[in-house]
Short mmCIF file of all heavy atoms in Angstrom, two decimals:
data_model
loop_
_atom_site.label_atom_id
_atom_site.label_comp_id
_atom_site.label_asym_id
_atom_site.label_seq_id
_atom_site.Cartn_x
_atom_site.Cartn_y
_atom_site.Cartn_z
N LEU T 143 -12.54 16.48 83.79
CA LEU T 143 -13.35 15.21 83.92
C LEU T 143 -12.61 13.86 83.98
O LEU T 143 -13.15 12.92 84.35
CB LEU T 143 -14.39 15.20 82.80
CG LEU T 143 -15.41 16.49 82.77
CD1 LEU T 143 -16.06 16.56 81.34
CD2 LEU T 143 -16.55 16.26 83.86
N GLY T 146 -9.49 11.54 79.90
CA GLY T 146 -8.38 11.43 79.01
C GLY T 146 -8.55 11.57 77.59
O GLY T 146 -7.78 11.11 76.76
N GLY T 234 1.84 43.97 87.53
CA GLY T 234 0.54 44.22 87.03
C GLY T 234 0.01 43.04 85.98
O GLY T 234 -0.73 43.22 85.18
#
Side-chain angles (χ1 to χ4, degrees):
L143 295 166

